[in-house]
Amino acid sequence: MAHGQSQGAALLQLLQLLWLLPHSEALPEAPTPRWRDELQNHTFLHTVYCQYGSPSVGLSESYDEDQLFSFDFLQNTRVPRLPEFANWAQEERDASAIFFDKTFCQDMIQDIGPQLEGKIPVSRGFPIAEVFTVKPLEFGKPNTLVCFVSNLFPPTLTVSWQHQSAPVEGVGPTFVSAIDGLSFQAFSYLNFTPERSDVFSCIVTHEIDRYTAVAYWVPQNPLPSDLLENVLCGIAFGLGVLGIIVGTVLILYFRKPCSD
């Protein structure tokens, strides 16, 4: 009986918190102009998550499932996924709301997490990794490898890189973002200059079940820059000669005197 009362008290506290959360930043809805009905719908997703694994708390902000920012709770700053978003990452007016969400999430884990143990899945499926380049492959020109991890839940993972089976040092942070359907995806970036003998591997370890996914990258069907320039120059020269010939024929044709 006492156990049932304690569960009821914990759920009552949770309901109070859930009631407060949407009212913390509620704003009256303005009437929607007619011209907006024809606009395409987009989704901005602001997701705060917490868990017993690492990272213990995280924040992801994405637009149409493309991540824009994460949040470094140690430095209390937004971290842009791409350098182009650096200026927008300086926004700090919503810092109090972010820490309210963090506290709420951690309180919920502590209050009802033990009661739900064994009733919800610990993990769902296995992460899938793939590696590709940001720019078209050209040997000797700087490029970036992207390790994309999908089907990730919960977002407890470590990502490491190897080059010719040797660990790669100096890899940047792994960006984790939430997507629709209570799932996550992750990105890891590696700057490099491709060579013909390269063999890179991205190693993803799902910490909660120690499952490891490995994705390899090797140069495939590269188009060397010199060959590309020669082909384009040859096509341009050929079109120029063809234009001269056609122009000359047309001039001679129209200058030909008409016969009776």
Side-chain angles (χ1 to χ4, degrees):
M1 186 65 176
H3 178 66
Q5 292 178 348
S6 63
Q7 284 186 339
L11 290 176
L12 181 59
Q13 293 178 358
L14 174 62
L15 289 175
Q16 293 174 347
L17 289 173
L18 289 174
W19 182 87
L20 288 173
L21 182 60
H23 288 75
S24 61
E25 296 183 357
L27 295 174
E29 294 186 1
T32 303
R34 289 186 177 180
W35 59 268
R36 289 192 178 182
D37 295 338
E38 301 178 357
L39 296 180
Q40 184 179 0
N41 292 328
H42 297 278
T43 302
F44 178 80
L45 202 60
H46 173 100
T47 306
V48 176
Y49 60 91
C50 53
Q51 56 193 355
Y52 290 120
S54 177
S56 60
V57 62
L59 166 63
S60 166
E61 293 176 322
S62 58
Y63 180 77
D64 287 348
E65 297 191 359
D66 289 331
Q67 187 183 23
L68 303 177
F69 309 102
S70 60
F71 195 86
D72 186 343
F73 283 93
L74 295 178
Q75 302 293 330
N76 298 333
T77 58
R78 273 185 171 87
V79 180
R81 184 171 70 88
L82 298 176
E84 292 81 355
F85 305 148
N87 291 335
W88 297 339
Q90 307 303 320
E91 177 62 45
E92 297 181 353
R93 289 180 295 178
D94 60 345
S96 59
I98 290 176
F99 284 98
F100 174 86
D101 294 342
K102 171 189 173 183
T103 302
F104 166 76
C105 187
Q106 293 175 332
D107 289 344
M108 187 170 61
I109 286 288
Q110 295 175 0
D111 290 342
I112 71 170
Q115 301 178 32
L116 297 178
E117 186 173 355
K119 298 180 182 180
I120 58 176
V122 176
S123 63
R124 185 172 58 194
F126 300 108
I128 302 171
E130 56 180 311
V131 179
F132 52 88
T133 58
V134 171
K135 303 176 185 177
L137 177 61
E138 294 186 60
F139 292 120
K141 291 191 175 182
N143 209 324
T144 302
L145 283 175
V146 181
C147 183
F148 172 61
V149 185
S150 58
N151 197 41
L152 180 63
F153 180 85
T156 56
L157 80 161
T158 57
V159 179
S160 59
W161 290 85
Q162 289 187 354
H163 179 228
Q164 309 287 23
S165 300
V168 177
E169 303 295 337
V171 179
T174 300
F175 295 91
V176 178
S177 63
I179 58 178
D180 291 339
L182 192 59
S183 186
F184 293 83
Q185 60 188 12
F187 296 88
S188 179
Y189 298 89
L190 178 65
N191 296 324
F192 81 120
T193 300
E195 299 178 357
R196 296 183 183 275
S197 59
D198 279 338
V199 177
F200 284 91
S201 57
C202 174
I203 304 172
V204 179
T205 302
H206 201 205
E207 296 180 355
I208 197 165
D209 51 17
R210 306 310 300 174
Y211 174 82
T212 300
V214 182
Y216 294 92
W217 181 88
V218 295
Q220 293 182 351
N221 303 322
L223 184 61
S225 57
D226 292 341
L227 177 59
L228 177 61
E229 293 175 359
N230 292 337
V231 169
L232 293 177
C233 288
I235 293 175
F237 179 77
L239 291 176
V241 172
L242 179 61
I244 294 174
I245 295 175
V246 172
T248 303
V249 171
L250 291 175
I251 292 173
L252 294 177
Y253 175 81
F254 286 108
R255 293 185 63 182
K256 183 179 178 181
C258 297
S259 60
D260 296 332

